[in-house]
Amino acid sequence: MKRALPLLLLALTACGSGGIDGLQTFTYPAGDHRSGSLIYAENPPAGGPHNAVWQNCGVYSSPLYNEYAVHSLEHGAVWVTYRPDLDAAGIDTLKKLVDGRPYTLLSPYEGLDTPVAISAWGAQLKVDQPDDARLKAFLDKYEQGPTAPERGAACSGGYSGTR
């Protein structure tokens, strides 16, 4: 019986993270629209106050403003970010990951502490390789997923600029 408890705790831990090793989760209230430059607890942000306009989903070759991208997360988008020095093969791998997925953002992000980070409203995963299978698992779980406060709201017709 002593062995059952650690196995049960391990099973509960895996269940709570959706089975994605390294997943971090956060809690943020929705609808907190603000103007100007904002400070976020996570880098890149995974929710919180944001601009009243959302970032149009798509693939970008320049960094995005956090404030617009976070609004897209609120709408159910997943934001895949990578270090600007990621090689072309790695960027191509990430482009293939998001190809055909309408609620995704892909952009370089300065100051990442890992080569790749993937974020949704209230969830984030950081990985060392752009071909890490956990990226697809995260995308499958969180694109238009249950943590998005405004799931199904537009991911187009917003802001399409970059920094």
Side-chain angles (χ1 to χ4, degrees), residues 5-25 125 134 137-138 141-142:
L5 185 57
L7 290 176
L8 175 62
L9 289 175
L10 178 62
L12 289 173
T13 301
C15 221
S17 68
I20 302 172
D21 187 40
L23 178 70
Q24 294 183 298
T25 58
L125 175 69
R134 293 176 294 166
F138 185 101
K141 178 174 181 166
Y142 288 103

Side-chain angles (χ1 to χ4, degrees), residues 56-134:
N56 290 331
C57 287
V59 174
Y60 295 87
S61 57
S62 298
L64 305 177
Y65 288 103
N66 290 334
E67 296 80 8
Y68 297 105
V70 170
H71 195 153
S72 296
L73 300 183
E74 186 181 44
H75 288 189
V78 171
W79 187 14
V80 182
T81 53
Y82 57 89
R83 283 187 186 153
D85 64 353
L86 187 67
D87 63 25
I91 295 169
D92 285 343
T93 298
L94 296 175
K95 285 179 180 178
K96 288 176 187 165
L97 175 71
V98 301
D99 186 47
R101 300 194 84 142
Y103 277 82
T104 58
L105 298 163
L106 175 64
S107 71
Y109 196 94
E110 297 171 11
L112 282 179
D113 57 359
T114 59
V116 180
I118 189 168
S119 307
W121 189 270
Q124 188 170 80
L125 175 69
K126 294 184 175 183
V127 299
D128 291 326
Q129 299 297 322
D131 61 354
D132 191 309
R134 293 176 294 166

Side-chain angles (χ1 to χ4, degrees), residues 34-61:
R34 301 184 190 180
S35 60
S37 181
L38 302 172
I39 305 292
Y40 290 94
E42 298 85 39
N43 188 34
H50 51 273
N51 194 280
V53 178
W54 56 90
Q55 183 75 38
N56 290 331
C57 287
V59 174
Y60 295 87
S61 57

